Amino acid sequence: MNIIDELEWRGLIHSITDREKLETIVNMQIKVYLGIDPTADSMHIGHLLPVIMLRRFQDYGHIPVPLMGGGTGQIGDPSGRSTERQLLDYSTIERNVSKIQKQVEKVLLTDVDNEPLFLNNNEWGSKISMFEFLRDYGKFFNVSYMLAKDIVASRLDTGISFTEFSYSILQALDWLKMYEMYGVNMQIGGSDQWGNITSGLELIRKKYPEAICAGLTIPLVTKSDGTKFGKTAGGAIWLDPEKTSPYEFYQFFLNTTDDDVINYLKIFTFLNQDEIRELEKEVEERPHERKAQKELAKNVTILVHSEEEYQRALEISHALFSGDIKDLKIDEIKDTFKGVSESSINASEMNVVDFLVDTKICKSKREAREFVSGNSITINGDRINDVDFIVKKEDAFNEEIAIVRRGKKNYFKVIFN
């Protein structure tokens, strides 16, 4: 199986600029580039798939070229947007580039012969004057041709500035420069990047008619119900552990539905066809065991974070299931219970019955006594069955947060003021 067959089996090809040329160049070692927009300080899982695509090409012996948009990031890609981006200063973009590159390095192999070639388009973009840009590159782009591009046409009604209108030319210039300087002959990107990719291809063809280059786009990842992948009630799932903890990241993939899990195993993991078929059989015959979800969450968590963080996510999951949360750190408590029902109290100590009622964990003192007497209340991992028990701030995590479990699954967070 070659790389194209592999990608087709995994459902990872949306469009190819020229299949014949692609099949020609993948039989030799090629340099495959992916443009990465640094307008945020972290990628989210919607950005993860194209980076994994780079790794797939690397696994087949090709050289991945992650291109950091240190130059174009000062403008912002208009693709998929209905409004103008807020412009960032260069120091912010530099910080974003540094953080994002570290995330990309975790996915790609850096200790192999075909190690990644990390580039930044500010390297050449900052050296081109306005007159050079218009004379040497702008003249190759017909305005009618550009107006027909989806990224421009979709914004004509709402308005698009000349700055964003020029983005496609700048990205085309990137590919041309990398072709000239490094021999980069392939570009990949999301399906919304088709216009930018074809612009680059056209520019190279006009300057170098003999060039053999190809572009490939990846389908948009959706859920089986058609809704957008990667969003939760709490917002985006980030690759930065400071924004989304490895435990939250692990849980996101663990909660994948049976309808989606096999597709996600194909596109987000490096498991082979036999391994995925075996997991597909498990979903059909023993869905309650959720082996496919566990394997998905394990593989993606290790890829983006580490084996150590995956093991810690398992430990936290076990602690929550068993109710034994005493060994969790304060940061883990905050991350793990970020979305649970929250209340606060001003007292430094309080009778447990009053505590449960005041924090609305129980509706009445009678209900509170019944839960306590029935061994259904744990506070900070300790089971409470004495209605005269005193809840103290000094016993809370960091003397700040108390975690109450009512029954088997209902967790509550209480903040001591």
Side-chain angles (χ1 to χ4, degrees):
M1 179 182 290
N2 62 31
I3 180 66
I4 302 175
D5 294 334
E6 171 88 5
L7 296 179
E8 286 185 327
W9 175 77
R10 292 182 183 273
L12 288 172
I13 297 178
H14 181 268
S15 300
I16 301 174
T17 56
D18 188 319
R19 187 180 181 106
E20 185 177 340
K21 286 186 177 178
L22 178 60
E23 289 177 342
T24 298
I25 62 176
V26 296
N27 288 323
M28 55 186 105
Q29 187 182 66
I30 59 174
K31 291 176 180 173
V32 186
Y33 110 79
L34 168 70
I36 299 174
D37 183 7
T39 49
D41 61 1
S42 173
M43 295 188 293
H44 54 68
I45 55 174
H47 303 129
L48 179 59
L49 183 54
V51 180
I52 290 177
M53 282 283 284
L54 279 185
R55 168 68 182 276
R56 294 192 193 283
F57 276 94
Q58 187 180 29
D59 286 346
Y60 274 82
H62 304 298
I63 299 173
V65 184
L67 175 67
M68 300 296 163
T72 49
Q74 298 174 61
I75 294 171
D77 187 353
S79 304
R81 292 184 63 87
S82 58
T83 58
E84 196 93 359
R85 288 181 183 270
Q86 182 179 352
L87 300 182
L88 301 177
D89 61 82
Y90 187 63
S91 62
T92 299
I93 292 172
E94 278 192 311
R95 287 195 299 272
N96 293 351
V97 165
S98 177
K99 289 184 176 182
I100 291 173
Q101 181 165 326
K102 290 176 182 176
Q103 295 169 2
V104 175
E105 286 172 346
K106 286 186 175 181
V107 178
L108 302 179
L109 302 174
T110 56
D111 56 351
V112 292
D113 291 338
N114 59 326
E115 64 182 7
L117 173 62
F118 282 95
L119 298 175
N120 187 321
N121 59 21
N122 196 55
E123 174 189 345
W124 51 83
S126 62
K127 298 173 184 176
I128 298 174
S129 72
M130 180 182 69
F131 296 110
E132 285 181 279
F133 174 73
L134 294 173
R135 182 194 64 199
D136 297 340
Y137 307 105
K139 68 177 182 179
F140 288 103
F141 291 86
N142 184 285
V143 172
S144 298
Y145 171 79
M146 293 185 67
L147 288 172
K149 297 279 185 182
D150 286 342
I151 55 175
V152 174
S154 63
R155 290 278 298 279
L156 290 179
D157 290 338
T158 57
I160 183 170
S161 69
F162 180 75
T163 300
E164 287 198 341
F165 179 76
S166 303
Y167 186 90
S168 187
I169 301 177
L170 292 172
Q171 187 161 322
L173 171 60
D174 284 342
W175 194 357
L176 175 65
K177 285 294 183 181
M178 288 187 290
Y179 176 78
E180 292 175 336
M181 298 164 67
Y182 302 100
V184 174
N185 47 359
M186 183 173 180
Q187 181 181 359
I188 63 171
S191 57
D192 62 340
Q193 293 297 309
W194 179 253
N196 290 328
I197 290 173
T198 53
S199 290
L201 199 57
E202 285 300 308
L203 180 58
I204 292 174
R205 285 172 179 168
K206 288 174 180 176
K207 297 272 285 186
Y208 302 97
E210 76 285 358
I212 301 178
C213 298
L216 181 153
T217 60
I218 309 160
L220 177 68
V221 183
T222 59
K223 298 179 184 178
S224 56
D225 60 7
T227 58
K228 193 171 183 178
F229 167 81
K231 294 287 186 179
T232 67
I237 302 297
W238 300 94
L239 305 195
D240 185 340
E242 298 297 320
K243 289 176 172 284
T244 298
S245 71
Y247 168 74
E248 290 177 282
F249 186 90
Y250 170 81
Q251 284 293 320
F252 174 82
F253 283 98
L254 186 64
N255 290 327
T256 300
T257 66
D258 290 345
D259 291 334
D260 289 319
V261 68
I262 299 303
N263 182 42
Y264 293 174
L265 281 166
K266 287 181 179 180
I267 65 180
F268 286 111
T269 78
F270 295 91
L271 298 178
N272 62 39
Q273 291 192 28
D274 290 339
E275 291 169 322
I276 291 177
R277 288 193 185 106
E278 187 62 33
L279 289 168
E280 189 171 17
K281 187 177 178 182
E282 290 287 342
V283 173
E284 293 171 358
E285 298 178 358
R286 290 171 288 276
H288 59 283
E289 294 183 5
R290 299 182 67 76
K291 286 187 177 180
Q293 283 87 347
K294 291 174 183 177
E295 199 65 31
L296 172 67
K298 172 185 175 181
N299 277 266
V300 185
T301 303
I302 291 174
L303 180 69
V304 172
H305 296 292
S306 66
E307 172 74 32
E308 182 181 1
E309 293 292 0
Y310 161 68
Q311 292 296 336
R312 189 57 183 156
L314 287 183
E315 291 171 8
I316 294 173
S317 298
H318 175 74
L320 290 178
F321 181 77
S322 65
D324 185 12
I325 62 173
K326 287 180 287 189
D327 293 332
L328 297 184
K329 301 171 185 175
I330 183 64
D331 289 342
E332 292 170 340
I333 289 291
K334 289 179 178 179
D335 286 336
T336 303
F337 296 97
K338 189 181 294 182
V340 304
S341 178
E342 181 180 311
S343 58
S344 61
I345 60 172
N346 294 315
S348 59
E349 59 179 54
M350 184 181 293
N351 171 269
V352 65
V353 173
D354 295 329
F355 173 82
L356 293 172
V357 174
D358 283 9
T359 55
K360 296 182 171 54
I361 295 172
C362 294
K363 296 177 182 177
S364 65
K365 289 187 176 183
R366 178 182 176 183
E367 184 181 67
R369 292 189 190 96
E370 289 175 353
F371 275 119
V372 172
S373 300
N375 288 320
S376 295
I377 296 293
T378 60
I379 300 178
N380 300 330
D382 293 321
R383 189 168 299 281
I384 309 301
N385 51 23
D386 180 1
V387 294
D388 293 323
F389 179 82
I390 302 299
V391 180
K392 298 179 181 178
K393 179 178 180 178
E394 63 188 56
D395 295 329
F397 290 97
N398 205 39
E399 296 190 13
E400 178 186 353
I401 299 173
I403 300 299
V404 181
R405 185 188 190 192
R406 192 191 70 199
K408 292 184 177 181
K409 297 181 178 180
N410 298 305
Y411 278 95
F412 304 84
K413 180 168 56 178
V414 180
I415 309 297
F416 284 90
N417 295 323

